[in-house]
């Protein structure tokens, strides 16, 4: 397993496709799977369009409406971040073929920060031959 760190904003999506591609390119897996995991309870990882930056803005706005600031019992004040993390998820799997990630034309891999700014970790595991 390999990992890398990110310095994140208060909230936002960070395109990590390039970092993951470098790990896949340096690995010995020609055909298999790339597992990307975020070991945090107030962050996530997702695949979405990386051509139009308005998609990220729209995603953050939609998540903000889906997870309003309610009277949460968790006293740290970051309960909306926990809910958003659970909705987005903490891992994704991308196929690898001929030593490259199999992403669609407009797809990118995004680290999703919901409780920053922080220094975060991303773990990447390659499986295959």
């Amino acid at each position: 397993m390999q990992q890398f760190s990110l310095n994140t904003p208060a909230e936002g999506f960070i395109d990590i496709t390039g970092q993951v591609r470098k790990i896949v390119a340096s690995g010995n897996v020609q055909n298999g799977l790339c597992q990307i995991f975020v070991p945090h309870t107030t962050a996530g990882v997702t695949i979405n369009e990386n051509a139009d930056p308005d998609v990220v803005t729209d995603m953050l706005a939609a998540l903000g409406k889906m997870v309003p600031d309610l009277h949460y019992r968790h006293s740290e004040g970051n309960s909306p971040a926990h809910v958003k993390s659970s909705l987005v998820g903490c891992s994704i799997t991308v196929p690898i073929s001929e030593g490259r990630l199999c992403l669609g034309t407009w797809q990118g891999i995004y680290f999703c920060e919901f409780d920053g700014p922080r220094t975060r970790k991303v773990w990447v595991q390659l499986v295959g031959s």
Side-chain angles (χ1 to χ4, degrees):
M1 180 177 66
Q2 294 190 47
Q3 78 172 20
F4 59 91
S5 297
L6 298 169
N7 292 317
T8 65
E11 185 173 62
F13 285 25
I14 300 168
D15 188 345
I16 59 171
T17 311
Q19 290 104 312
V20 175
R21 279 193 170 125
K22 285 179 187 176
I23 291 171
V24 171
S26 69
N28 293 325
V29 175
Q30 288 300 303
N31 297 292
L33 299 172
C34 176
Q35 178 77 33
I36 300 106
F37 179 79
V38 172
H40 305 287
T41 61
T42 57
V45 64
T46 193
I47 295 174
N48 213 308
E49 180 177 331
N50 67 351
D52 182 353
D54 286 337
V55 172
V56 168
T57 302
D58 293 344
M59 290 286 295
L60 286 168
L63 285 167
K65 288 206 180 261
M66 291 169 56
V67 184
D69 192 12
L70 305 172
H71 179 70
Y72 295 100
R73 294 182 67 170
H74 180 57
S75 63
E76 288 181 32
N78 62 354
S79 287
H82 287 287
V83 175
K84 290 174 187 178
S85 173
S86 289
L87 288 172
V88 169
C90 63
S91 70
I92 58 171
T93 303
V94 181
I96 299 170
S97 179
E98 299 179 3
R100 294 184 306 210
L101 286 174
C102 295
L103 290 170
T105 302
W106 308 111
Q107 288 183 321
I109 302 168
Y110 286 94
F111 181 93
C112 309
E113 176 62 73
F114 302 119
D115 190 32
R118 295 180 186 254
T119 299
R120 300 290 201 166
K121 296 177 186 172
V122 177
W123 296 347
V124 180
Q125 180 74 49
L126 307 180
V127 179
S129 56

